[in-house]
Amino acid sequence: VQLMESGGGSVQAGGSLTLSCVATGFEDRDYCMGWFRQVPGKEREPVAGINVDGEITYAESVKGRFTLTQDKVKKAVFLQMTSLKPEDSGIYYCAAHEYCSLGPTPPPDYEYKWWGQGTRVTVSS
């Protein structure tokens, strides 16, 4: 399995970006997929996740601003980010696994098996 992110870039605060993650090597089944972000000196934090039943959860810090969508045919997930803030800056990673937990917040990074290389998002004030 390989995951490839794209769509990162530099925007001003209040702007929008949409990240894409395309998977190759998936079997014909549903997968849990998630978005994470990491800034230097901090742990990788979950941003949004979708489980095999299509249920989506978001980190509190992005609720109402970020939207995760999925295209099962293309084996892709997208993260539409609006009203971006400087604190949203970081490297965004896509992750996947055959299964994951279900809860009020996105699953943590140790629940994912496959990871993309990341795409950088920079939000300037």
Side-chain angles (χ1 to χ4, degrees):
V1 172
Q2 291 188 325
L3 305 174
M4 179 65 72
E5 305 98 333
S6 62
S10 297
V11 296
Q12 290 190 327
S16 301
L17 281 174
T18 298
L19 306 182
S20 301
C21 172
V22 178
T24 56
F26 272 2
E27 296 178 353
D28 188 19
R29 55 169 293 169
D30 292 320
Y31 287 78
C32 293
M33 298 189 75
W35 285 99
F36 290 75
R37 67 185 177 198
Q38 188 170 28
V39 297
K42 292 189 177 181
E43 294 185 355
R44 189 163 47 190
E45 62 172 342
V47 174
I50 182 168
N51 65 13
V52 295
D53 294 321
E55 296 162 317
I56 300 171
T57 52
Y58 298 94
E60 284 295 327
S61 60
V62 306
K63 278 184 179 178
R65 301 188 298 120
F66 289 14
T67 303
L68 186 155
T69 56
Q70 182 181 45
D71 185 329
K72 290 186 178 182
V73 174
K74 295 182 179 178
K75 294 181 171 55
V77 289
F78 308 92
L79 187 67
Q80 183 180 11
M81 306 184 294
T82 63
S83 301
L84 283 162
K85 304 175 182 180
E87 53 263 41
D88 293 320
S89 297
I91 299 177
Y92 282 70
Y93 297 92
C94 175
H97 201 350
E98 294 103 332
Y99 42 81
C100 56
S101 61
L102 175 64
T105 57
D109 56 359
Y110 58 78
E111 290 197 22
Y112 290 92
K113 182 176 182 180
W114 299 291
W115 291 85
Q117 293 300 307
T119 185
R120 183 178 297 276
V121 172
T122 302
V123 184
S124 57
S125 57

